[in-house]
Amino acid sequence: MEEVSTVFVGLDAHAQSTAIAVAHVGREAPRFVGTVGARLSELSKALGKLGEPSTLLIVYEAGPCGYVLARELRAKGWRCEVVAPSLIARKPGERIKTDRRDALKLAALARSGDLTTVSVPDERDEAIRDLCRARVDAVRARLKARQQLKAMLLRHGRRYTGKTSWTAAHERYLATLGFAHPAQDIAYTEYRLAVSEADARVRRLTEALAQQIENWRMLAVVRALMTLRGLDLVAATTVVAELGDMRRFAHPRDLMGYLGLVPSERSSGTTRRQGEITKTGNGHARRVLVEAAWNYRFPARISRVLQVRQQDQPAAVRAIAWRAQLRLCQRYRRLSLRGMHPNKVCVAIARELAGFVWDLGRQVPPQA
């Protein structure tokens, strides 16, 4: 039986302080309690003065402080929920924002039931997600290092005539280059070393990710998603780590909305206006799905690589993956023939791909 809360506590949590406000059942205005330090002992002492843990519902916004506070409070017997900050109602004319006001607003909205909670991942799931995001950061750092090296070469009129950069042939070309002044040679060598170190970092993180998911409870879901075209080990792991258990989404439209892949809308009366996608929710998973959508510009077929990924999967999983190829490849071709911009086509394909991801996530539940 669900516990009934009589005291609603709003926390505005920061790195060094936490503002506390409380709202009781009824129409009484919420009351600001005060500000305490970031230590759990200080917060627990302040919460203990507000009532028994069974009567309190504590809420705070998802943000840079992560989920540690929620886990620690739950471990001590408090009921704590993390809410989505982007879905908190805000008055258009509101121009003053303080920790006190934020805490009071959270307490009042928790009492009225107007807050949307987010799923708190367990520590293992969050660890895999951190590793995925560390790899993304490493890839971006490598891109920046490569851009800096190529910018120096362009400034001095050194242009590579080969087809593709950063291949073995390109590396041999870079090794032959030299400059007139020793200072430029030093700068060039440092740029090359930065690229090499960035490459090594990406390789280390990729290998670590493959090792860490071997005993992960979501491994079966990752392998099921790898049956889809465009989702390799890294991409599938990123999607699963960011989304968690797909069963928490009752309908694929819920997942599409969570990913921010649905069009925005501003309609009134008989006029309906739809705009660009909302881009709300999880941007990491959205980016992976949009990148994967580019693979559906080719005709549907099961390549050798895809055949290996699907080898040990159930027939139902393989059927969903093939159905996804047939539909999405045809959909990509039709939208392209209509003259739609390629980027818009990929976003539309990514939205439908999310539906197949949802289906596979429910077909292969995670291990207990």
Side-chain angles (χ1 to χ4, degrees), residues 31-89:
R31 174 175 58 88
F32 183 67
V33 176
T35 302
V36 299
R39 294 182 179 179
L40 181 62
S41 58
E42 298 180 38
L43 180 59
S44 298
K45 183 178 179 180
L47 293 175
K49 298 177 181 179
L50 300 179
E52 295 296 325
S54 60
T55 63
L56 266 64
L57 175 60
I58 306 166
V59 297
Y60 73 93
E61 294 180 1
C65 292
Y67 304 105
V68 176
L69 179 59
R71 294 194 188 104
E72 290 177 341
L73 289 175
R74 290 177 179 180
K76 287 185 172 292
W78 303 95
R79 295 177 58 206
C80 182
E81 297 291 347
V82 184
V83 301
S86 61
L87 299 179
I88 296 177

Side-chain angles (χ1 to χ4, degrees), residues 226-240:
M226 288 175 62
T227 61
L228 294 170
R229 176 189 277 192
L231 292 180
D232 60 3
L233 178 67
V234 173
T237 304
T238 301
V239 171
V240 176

Side-chain angles (χ1 to χ4, degrees), residues 256-265 275-281 286:
M256 297 172 190
Y258 174 78
L259 292 170
L261 288 170
V262 296
S264 58
E265 185 169 347
E276 60 183 13
I277 59 172
T278 60
K279 294 184 181 179
T280 58
R286 180 173 64 249

Side-chain angles (χ1 to χ4, degrees), residues 32-202:
F32 183 67
V33 176
T35 302
V36 299
R39 294 182 179 179
L40 181 62
S41 58
E42 298 180 38
L43 180 59
S44 298
K45 183 178 179 180
L47 293 175
K49 298 177 181 179
L50 300 179
E52 295 296 325
S54 60
T55 63
L56 266 64
L57 175 60
I58 306 166
V59 297
Y60 73 93
E61 294 180 1
C65 292
Y67 304 105
V68 176
L69 179 59
R71 294 194 188 104
E72 290 177 341
L73 289 175
R74 290 177 179 180
K76 287 185 172 292
W78 303 95
R79 295 177 58 206
C80 182
E81 297 291 347
V82 184
V83 301
S86 61
L87 299 179
I88 296 177
R90 287 178 172 81
K91 298 177 181 178
E94 201 171 60
R95 293 291 184 270
I96 301 176
K97 183 183 183 302
T98 63
D99 294 351
R100 176 192 180 101
R101 290 194 175 205
D102 288 345
L104 289 169
K105 178 187 290 186
L106 286 173
L109 293 177
R111 179 175 61 185
S112 62
D114 292 326
L115 294 175
T116 302
T117 61
V118 300
S119 175
V120 178
D122 63 28
E123 295 184 9
R124 176 62 172 166
D125 293 351
E126 189 175 20
I128 298 296
R129 189 183 67 180
D130 288 340
L131 188 56
C132 290
R133 293 185 179 182
R135 186 187 177 278
V136 171
D137 292 338
V139 170
R140 290 173 178 170
R142 180 179 64 180
L143 177 61
K144 185 65 176 178
R146 288 176 172 179
Q147 288 174 337
Q148 290 171 342
L149 174 58
K150 296 184 79 171
M152 180 182 180
L153 296 179
L154 184 60
R155 286 196 303 269
H156 295 281
R158 309 298 177 87
R159 293 176 174 83
Y160 179 58
T161 57
K163 291 184 178 180
T164 308
S165 298
W166 314 115
T167 59
H170 185 237
E171 288 295 331
R172 289 193 296 270
Y173 163 76
L174 294 177
T176 63
L177 297 181
F179 294 86
H181 299 283
Q184 291 174 329
D185 281 328
I186 293 174
Y188 174 65
T189 302
E190 288 293 338
Y191 279 131
R192 287 197 64 198
L193 288 174
V195 172
S196 299
E197 292 170 0
D199 282 333
R201 182 185 172 196
V202 172

Side-chain angles (χ1 to χ4, degrees), residues 25 142 218 267 279:
V25 172
R142 180 179 64 180
M218 306 292 283
S267 301
K279 294 184 181 179

